[in-house]
Amino acid sequence: MKLTLKIWRQESPEDKGRLVSYEMDGVAEDTSFLELLDILNQRLIKKGEHPVTFDHDCREGICGSCGFMISGIAHGPQKLTTTCQLFMRQFKDGDTIVAEPFRSRAFPVIKDLVVDRSALDKIVQAGGFISARTGSGPDGNAIPISKEKADRSMDAAACIGCGACVAACPNGSAMLFTAAKISHLGLLPQGQPERKQRALRMVAKMQELGFGACSNHGECEAVCPKGISIDFIARLNRDYMVASALETVEPVKKV
Amino acid sequence: MDLNSKVPSGPIEKKWEKHRFDMKLVNPSNKRKYKIIVVGTGLAGGAAAASLGQLGYEVEAFCYQDSARRAHSIAAQGGINAAKNYQNDGDSVFRLFYDTVKGGDFRSREANVYRLAEVSNGIIDQCVALGVPFAREYSGYLANRSFGGAQVSRTFYARGQTGQQLLLGAYAALSREVALGSVKMFPRHEMLELVVIDGHAKGIVVRDMVTGTISSHVADTVILATGGYSNVFYLSTNAKGCNTTAIWRAHRKGALFANPCYTQIHPTCIPVAGEHQSKLTLMSESLRNDGRVWVPKKAGDQRKPWEIPEDDRDYYLERIYPSYGNLAPRDVSSRAAKRMCDEGRGVGPGGRGVYLDLFDAMDRLGRDVIAARYGNLFEMYERITGEDPWKWPMRIYPAVHYTMGGLWVDYNLMSNLDGLHVLGEANFSDHGANRLGASALMQGLADGYFVIPYTIADYLTKVKPGSRPSVDHPAFKEAEREVEARTKKLLSIGGTKTVDEFHKELGQVMWEYVGMGRNEAGLKTALQKIPQIRERFWKEVRVPGSGADLNQELEKAGRVADFLEMGELLAYDALMRDESCGAHFREEHQTPDGEALRNDEKYAYVAAWEYKGEGKSPELHKEPLEFENVHLAQRSYK
């Protein structure tokens, strides 16, 4: 296959950045998108140019490191697929493909296709946990959990934290990410004691970090490589409303 | 050198309990005076950092990924073992212990393995408490599945994403400690040197991967939980960033490297497609529960799989190992696949693959059941190969997956370097010469949640609170200078070959001569070739850019430079161990039907290597292995 790649090149956070075109020839269709960038980078290094910087690690769709906009769609055209699992057979000979970083106020660009997603960690630190000290849990079978609830919780827990939902949202909202965590824990009996504070803390942190609000666009669900449903956002909204009627947000405490 | 394993006395069932009582405790008000560094935030490191933070220590945690949640533990699919015996099928702590020692082909330390089995049940309880959504039965109780190397169902799982869910549990606990200020988190930081002062590990030198700043961090004790070294083979199932640098740097500073030649080859991976291939993808071993593995009976059979009638197929695992069949352990299954391909009966491009199909199970159980169990794996396979497993048999081939070897540690998980603790895959301790499926997650969490919080307290009682040096200590300055000089050197070579080219070349040598089957001549060839590649690397490599910003080529170059040293030790160890055991298969030593043949008289020991300087042969130290509870026997899965 012959392809034209237009890649966003930005040397530093301060640099303005620009799209640069690269012609790729003889691309095998069982090459992954990241392997295509590997091939390009080998060529650039040999020519004395700087290779394209992009985050990646497991290359099997689970670590959540990789991801950028591929011709305007977070993680590219194939549904339920991370960038690393996108293979060139999804494209046609002669295609032009544009690769740009995930763009959002809360995700500043570090270099080329790499952005700083540490804001997602901060949302989890605000309350995305159950405060069970090591060694304190009862026998795993002491609390039966219906298969249905456990499965639903797992649906939400499947989030890989890649940030595609934020990049796809016209408002730059992290609602799907936050809702997935709140639902994963809130569906389980172990998550009940902290359920209200969790919703208050995580939503407050999300707003503080510069993520936008949700206006039910649904782009997030459409691009999510793990198929996390926007139904979970409704769940977050319910939890948040109930919690704000009954409690005010408190900081995380030791005991 | 005195290799004291510090295994407590007494009957094996009582050792850990007795030891926990004998160990000293740190007064709660003194805990905050101690600082602990944790490198790596996978299951072992993440669980350790969270647990130690909860206890009141001051913890600093480091990872090279942009978030602690992305460590490679996340990719484990199948599950985690525990001796709960919820299935009423005859499991017990002793049986899990026994299976693990046997699975490791009698090359692990009994007392460590027993403790692992003993704390396994607490891990499940802890993970449930943290909100891990394990699979449940309709009763609401926890579900189990079976796994290779065991005849009981003791594996707990969360769909095909068990590692992810366990890691997110540990990451959540860690995030809480970060919020409370008890753990300070340093993502996108890579450890490049260990600092040892008067024989005690007192800190590390790291590079901030975004700004390039090189800085020192001081602590009262250092924990390395930095994973394995499978990427020495270039192609493996590990994440691209997985590397040996942290443990190799520690090795160069005096920590012994144990059993480096024990590298596990996973039997069910998607075969290599072409030159551009950057990593190998594992298909969960759970496929073997319902799948059947086969090759054509005739060598060179070019027919499509569906054109090959039943009579012309060889279901070789069922034929050779009737009692375990398709569930034979990983090393046994991998070698059998290689033998079939060596006989010319392999399938797919290059003849390096065997078929695995679930057609019998589809008929027996129905498509819905198969879709529920393996649907996501089928999708993954189709996405990568473009072939539909509902219609075609899948092609699989073994790939490097896990390394049982690692830094030598005693019963307290401390290396021979005082104050340096090593957890998870980075140490050598529990899996002997072969790890059983679903045991890596168990070991990582056992070390992090339930072993190190106890043993590190005992160590710290010997360290005076407030006695740690400052970053201005000459040893730190010296280490920083070394790191800076090395970075500068890598950037200044300005050769013609890329880092990846050297890495691939090393990987080919490792796979060819130090891979699934090893022999004296091949290992000697590898020992000749590796230093040559290393020499050329330092003359001909080209690392573009500068050290002052995010430079992924520079990161890779440092890691490959260490692999080029580590690979040689791996081959050296494989040559020295003139027996076959578990995943280490020396072709000179096999039973008439091609199984690993141990030599217990000569090799029932842990080989712990001491670094003696560049260009010098490493020195071997032996820790004899004694088996008082498990009868040493030829492994049989027939």
Side-chain angles (χ1 to χ4, degrees):
Chain A
M1 293 168 84
K2 231 177 161 158
L3 297 164
T4 304
L5 281 178
K6 287 189 170 176
I7 301 179
W8 185 260
R9 303 303 309 261
Q10 182 174 341
E11 272 171 38
S12 66
E14 297 76 33
D15 182 19
K16 257 179 77 179
R18 69 215 68 85
L19 282 171
V20 179
S21 283
Y22 303 96
E23 299 300 325
M24 304 298 293
D25 206 352
V27 178
E29 62 168 24
D30 55 9
T31 309
S32 75
F33 204 98
L34 299 187
E35 284 166 354
L36 185 69
L37 291 184
D38 290 342
I39 294 168
L40 171 65
N41 278 347
Q42 295 298 302
R43 198 173 90 193
L44 293 177
I45 297 166
K46 294 256 183 195
K47 276 182 15 193
E49 294 175 33
H50 285 193
V52 179
T53 307
F54 58 96
D55 267 328
H56 65 101
D57 207 16
C58 78
R59 297 205 177 189
E60 47 187 274
I62 192 72
C63 74
S65 296
C66 72
F68 34 85
M69 305 302 282
I70 298 172
S71 297
I73 306 170
H75 290 303
Q78 194 179 10
K79 289 264 174 223
L80 301 173
T81 302
T82 54
T83 302
C84 63
Q85 294 280 286
L86 181 66
F87 285 77
M88 299 324 290
R89 69 176 74 90
Q90 298 297 323
F91 298 91
K92 289 194 307 289
D93 190 34
D95 274 359
T96 296
I97 308 169
V98 183
E100 286 179 277
F102 282 168
R103 297 204 188 273
S104 168
R105 185 148 60 117
F107 290 174
V109 174
I110 296 175
K111 189 175 184 177
D112 295 340
L113 302 172
V114 175
V115 297
D116 178 357
R117 288 170 294 189
S118 56
L120 297 181
D121 286 322
K122 294 192 181 100
I123 295 176
V124 175
Q125 286 156 16
F129 46 76
I130 293 170
S131 303
R133 294 178 63 86
T134 301
S136 62
D139 185 88
N141 264 350
I143 316 162
I145 302 171
S146 75
K147 184 173 183 332
E148 196 193 346
K149 276 242 165 92
D151 285 349
R152 193 78 185 124
S153 171
M154 181 63 216
D155 290 342
C159 168
I160 57 172
C162 63
C165 50
V166 176
C169 177
N171 309 330
S173 170
M175 279 291 266
L176 191 62
F177 171 82
T178 309
K181 189 46 64 188
I182 281 179
S183 304
H184 154 214
L185 299 175
L187 277 158
L188 299 172
Q190 309 91 299
Q192 299 312 308
E194 293 165 290
R195 185 167 163 188
K196 294 191 198 71
Q197 279 302 317
R198 184 178 305 121
L200 294 175
R201 287 168 180 159
M202 291 179 80
V203 170
K205 180 55 81 176
M206 198 171 70
Q207 287 164 347
E208 180 196 316
L209 291 165
F211 290 102
C214 172
S215 49
N216 292 318
H217 253 266
E219 280 291 317
C220 52
E221 183 189 80
V223 300
C224 176
K226 297 296 148 181
I228 310 281
S229 161
I230 47 171
D231 293 353
F232 292 125
I233 295 183
R235 213 189 141 80
L236 181 159
N237 285 332
R238 271 202 310 278
D239 274 14
Y240 182 74
M241 261 168 33
V242 172
S244 30
L246 297 172
E247 294 181 11
T248 51
V249 62
E250 286 170 26
V252 181
K253 288 180 204 132
K254 264 209 158 85
V255 186
Chain B
M1 187 178 297
D2 172 34
L3 266 190
N4 183 352
S5 65
K6 305 215 176 102
V7 171
S9 58
I12 197 152
E13 308 81 17
K14 296 283 173 205
K15 282 183 196 291
W16 180 231
E17 193 185 332
K18 174 178 180 297
H19 192 57
R20 278 198 297 175
F21 182 73
D22 288 344
M23 283 186 291
K24 294 195 182 70
L25 303 171
V26 176
N27 176 319
S29 63
N30 270 345
K31 285 194 180 116
R32 65 172 181 274
K33 296 176 188 160
Y34 290 111
K35 192 162 139 192
I36 301 171
I37 281 175
V38 182
V39 187
T41 58
L43 288 183
S51 304
L52 295 168
Q54 284 165 11
L55 285 166
Y57 298 106
E58 186 188 344
V59 179
E60 287 189 352
F62 298 81
C63 67
Y64 73 76
Q65 298 88 348
D66 73 320
S67 164
R69 66 180 290 156
R70 307 205 199 281
H72 194 57
S73 307
I74 205 157
Q77 298 171 356
I80 177 165
N81 287 331
K84 286 282 195 185
N85 194 30
Y86 285 156
Q87 300 296 323
N88 198 32
D89 59 356
D91 204 4
S92 63
V93 167
F94 199 88
R95 189 176 295 281
L96 175 53
F97 156 69
Y98 183 91
D99 285 350
T100 308
V101 172
K102 179 186 169 195
D105 213 1
F106 308 95
R107 287 294 174 266
S108 47
R109 194 190 282 148
E110 271 194 347
N112 284 56
V113 180
Y114 193 89
R115 176 177 63 190
L116 175 67
E118 199 177 343
V119 304
S120 67
N121 292 339
I123 295 170
I124 301 303
D125 303 341
Q126 175 61 20
C127 292
V128 169
L130 287 170
V132 171
F134 281 122
R136 302 263 166 178
E137 297 177 359
Y138 285 101
S139 60
Y141 294 125
L142 291 157
N144 291 115
R145 58 165 58 140
S146 46
F147 236 77
Q151 289 177 317
V152 293
S153 275
R154 61 159 76 98
T155 305
F156 295 78
Y157 62 100
R159 293 200 187 137
Q161 293 122 279
T162 317
Q164 179 201 26
Q165 293 309 315
L166 298 179
L167 183 62
L168 291 182
Y171 162 75
L174 177 63
S175 295
R176 179 175 178 272
E177 297 311 305
V178 172
L180 289 167
S182 47
V183 177
K184 200 164 174 219
M185 188 64 227
F186 294 86
R188 290 199 199 268
H189 277 69
E190 180 159 30
M191 170 185 156
L192 294 177
E193 202 54 271
L194 177 76
V195 179
V196 182
I197 299 174
D198 303 329
H200 309 286
K202 286 294 179 193
I204 59 174
V205 173
V206 297
R207 178 172 181 272
D208 178 329
M209 292 155 71
V210 176
T211 64
T213 309
I214 287 162
S215 63
S216 293
H217 293 260
V218 188
D220 293 286
T221 178
V222 175
I223 295 173
L224 300 185
T226 53
Y229 48 87
S230 294
N231 277 347
V232 70
F233 290 87
Y234 183 70
L235 284 180
S236 82
T237 66
N238 277 194
K240 292 294 284 177
C242 292
N243 65 82
T244 192
T245 289
I247 56 174
W248 188 254
R249 294 281 121 197
H251 174 61
R252 288 178 58 116
K253 284 286 165 80
L256 301 184
F257 207 123
N259 302 333
C261 79
Y262 294 163
T263 55
Q264 184 172 70
I265 318 281
H266 194 288
T268 55
C269 299
I270 299 176
V272 176
E275 264 292 294
H276 56 268
Q277 187 112 12
S278 60
K279 77 152 277 167
L280 295 171
T281 303
L282 181 142
M283 301 286 289
S284 172
E285 200 169 0
S286 62
L287 282 168
R288 293 201 280 146
N289 283 332
D290 291 308
R292 300 181 73 193
V293 178
W294 62 279
V295 289
K297 275 187 182 160
K298 259 200 338 258
D301 194 332
Q302 292 298 319
R303 286 177 289 179
K304 299 283 182 207
W306 55 83
E307 294 167 355
I308 302 176
E310 205 60 25
D311 281 353
D312 290 349
R313 299 178 178 193
D314 180 11
Y315 294 92
Y316 59 89
L317 287 176
E318 297 169 25
R319 172 171 60 80
I320 309 172
Y321 312 103
S323 68
Y324 277 73
N326 293 294
L327 285 178
R330 290 176 173 178
D331 55 334
V332 173
S333 310
S334 293
R335 278 198 299 275
K338 180 177 185 287
R339 283 205 303 276
M340 298 304 126
C341 297
D342 289 346
E343 289 169 17
R345 299 200 280 149
V347 298
R352 288 281 139 189
V354 300
Y355 289 128
L356 184 154
D357 73 47
L358 286 88
F359 298 137
D360 273 10
M362 286 176 202
D363 290 344
R364 194 175 68 245
L365 303 164
R367 283 175 72 102
D368 291 352
V369 175
I370 297 299
R373 285 188 192 164
Y374 308 108
N376 59 338
L377 290 170
F378 281 18
E379 276 168 35
M380 183 172 84
Y381 181 83
E382 188 176 0
R383 201 172 292 141
I384 293 172
T385 63
E387 294 171 7
D388 179 3
W390 290 105
K391 297 183 188 139
W392 287 46
M394 290 181 267
R395 289 175 294 109
I396 56 164
Y397 197 66
V400 183
H401 177 55
Y402 185 89
T403 53
M404 284 72 68
L407 293 186
W408 183 88
V409 288
D410 62 18
Y411 189 71
N412 297 317
L413 302 183
M414 188 161 90
S415 81
N416 60 303
L417 266 184
D418 188 74
L420 179 70
H421 295 83
V422 192
L423 316 184
E425 190 178 351
N427 74 28
F428 87 105
S429 73
D430 296 349
H431 306 295
N434 177 53
R435 178 176 66 74
L436 290 182
S439 284
L441 303 184
M442 172 171 69
Q443 187 220 338
L445 289 179
D447 288 0
Y449 282 138
F450 294 119
V451 180
I452 196 70
Y454 296 91
T455 59
I456 212 161
D458 187 52
Y459 171 75
L460 288 171
T461 56
K462 292 167 204 132
V463 179
K464 209 172 132 223
S467 69
R468 64 175 176 265
S470 91
V471 278
D472 299 322
H473 190 284
F476 279 97
K477 293 294 140 204
E478 174 63 24
E480 284 176 29
R481 270 197 300 277
E482 278 169 27
V483 169
E484 275 159 14
R486 191 174 152 88
T487 305
K488 224 169 144 184
K489 166 89 178 140
L490 285 167
L491 288 163
S492 67
I493 298 167
T496 54
K497 289 183 78 176
T498 65
V499 176
D500 280 6
E501 285 175 302
F502 284 105
H503 197 177
K504 282 182 189 176
E505 199 181 338
L506 171 68
Q508 273 158 7
V509 170
M510 297 304 294
W511 183 243
E512 181 69 26
Y513 302 107
V514 202
M516 256 190 291
R518 301 161 172 175
N519 60 53
E520 189 183 340
L523 291 166
K524 285 185 170 158
T525 309
L527 284 168
Q528 253 176 6
K529 285 180 181 264
I530 299 166
Q532 289 166 1
I533 303 173
R534 189 169 63 228
E535 205 184 312
R536 278 191 287 113
F537 173 88
W538 285 102
K539 280 186 196 146
E540 296 169 18
V541 76
R542 169 181 291 193
V543 183
S546 83
D549 71 341
L550 183 55
N551 185 342
Q552 293 173 328
E553 285 297 309
L554 175 63
E555 294 158 16
K556 271 197 289 193
R559 295 168 192 165
V560 171
D562 288 334
F563 277 134
L564 283 165
E565 295 180 12
M566 197 273 142
E568 187 178 2
L569 181 69
L570 203 167
Y572 206 82
D573 185 44
L575 180 64
M576 178 286 296
R577 191 165 283 279
D578 194 14
E579 64 160 352
S580 294
C581 56
H584 170 63
F585 192 71
R586 283 288 298 267
E587 286 157 358
E588 302 93 324
H589 304 287
Q590 47 183 309
T591 61
D593 42 4
E595 301 302 338
L597 192 62
R598 291 195 324 266
N599 181 345
D600 294 329
E601 295 225 326
K602 276 186 80 180
Y603 293 102
Y605 61 76
V606 175
W609 297 94
E610 184 185 354
Y611 184 77
K612 301 300 271 186
E614 272 167 46
K616 293 196 181 121
S617 300
E619 187 183 339
L620 176 64
H621 302 274
K622 297 176 184 175
E623 180 198 334
L625 291 169
E626 279 142 34
F627 295 89
E628 292 165 356
N629 299 277
V630 177
H631 176 60
L632 268 171
Q634 166 77 31
R635 273 192 327 166
S636 171
Y637 291 95
K638 287 193 170 169

